[in-house]
Amino acid sequence: VLGMLLAAWLGGWLASRRLARSVRSLSEPTSASQPASEIIEIRNARQLIDDAHAQRDRIETERRDGERHYRERLESSAADLRSREAQLSGILESANDAIIVTDPRLSIVMVNSAALRQFGMTREEIVGTMLERLFPEPLRQSQCRAINDAVASGGAGRHLELMGLRADGGEFPIE
């Protein structure tokens, strides 16, 4: 039993000496257990990490600046668009003739007051609907085809005589 105690004590004493030596070697950067090349590698790795952080910060700053610039351009473009829409609306409203503006699919995007009076409808009833809604049922396909053909050929100087459909069901000629 005494031998076992002595062996345990001696084993613990040796282990504590090794641990103390290992701790000392960690706190002494120039110790023999850590060659100078390892210290340089650690410093180089730290510098690489610092450089990567600095690059990340520069990229983040550039991203924020880019977003701010894009947002400013978008806001400016939106303001220009609103201004041009107001000008166009003013021109359309000053016309005595009925004017209906469509997109390429013939969906109505803008209409003036003269057209609203002529068709007997409100702006909410017309804008967003298809142009064919304003034509009598039997003529819808042929009139839409004639409009598409006119647009495809440039439309300039082309005169179309069509029939319109009022909200009350009455038909009338339109150009």
Side-chain angles (χ1 to χ4, degrees), residues 49-166:
I49 291 170
D50 291 344
D51 291 347
H53 285 247
Q55 183 177 11
R56 181 201 61 208
D57 293 344
R58 281 191 303 273
I59 290 170
E60 180 63 22
T61 299
E62 289 174 9
R63 183 192 61 78
R64 278 194 308 269
D65 290 347
E67 283 179 359
R68 184 175 40 256
H69 177 72
Y70 175 75
R71 193 173 26 259
E72 289 168 358
R73 286 189 62 201
L74 184 61
E75 289 169 0
S76 175
S77 295
D80 288 346
L81 181 60
R82 285 189 299 272
S83 173
R84 290 179 186 193
E85 284 178 343
Q87 288 174 338
L88 179 59
S89 180
I91 292 168
L92 290 178
E93 288 304 320
S94 67
N96 291 327
D97 293 331
I99 300 174
I100 298 171
V101 180
T102 68
D103 67 11
R105 298 176 313 127
L106 299 182
S107 176
I108 300 170
V109 293
M110 195 175 278
V111 60
N112 69 353
S113 296
L116 296 175
R117 284 190 302 276
Q118 196 168 19
F119 285 93
M121 296 181 186
T122 65
R123 196 172 310 277
E124 292 76 25
E125 290 175 304
I126 293 180
V127 173
T129 64
M130 299 304 289
L131 183 64
E132 69 183 21
R133 176 175 182 222
L134 302 179
F135 301 144
E137 180 65 42
L139 302 173
R140 283 183 181 167
Q141 286 185 341
S142 63
Q143 291 188 162
C144 286
R145 191 172 24 257
I147 291 170
N148 282 325
D149 291 345
V151 170
S153 67
R158 190 115 188 247
H159 181 80
L160 296 176
E161 292 184 14
L162 308 169
M163 292 298 290
L165 179 66
R166 287 190 183 92

Side-chain angles (χ1 to χ4, degrees), residues 41-55:
E41 285 180 28
I42 291 170
R43 286 182 183 149
N44 287 343
R46 185 68 195 153
Q47 185 61 47
L48 287 173
I49 291 170
D50 291 344
D51 291 347
H53 285 247
Q55 183 177 11

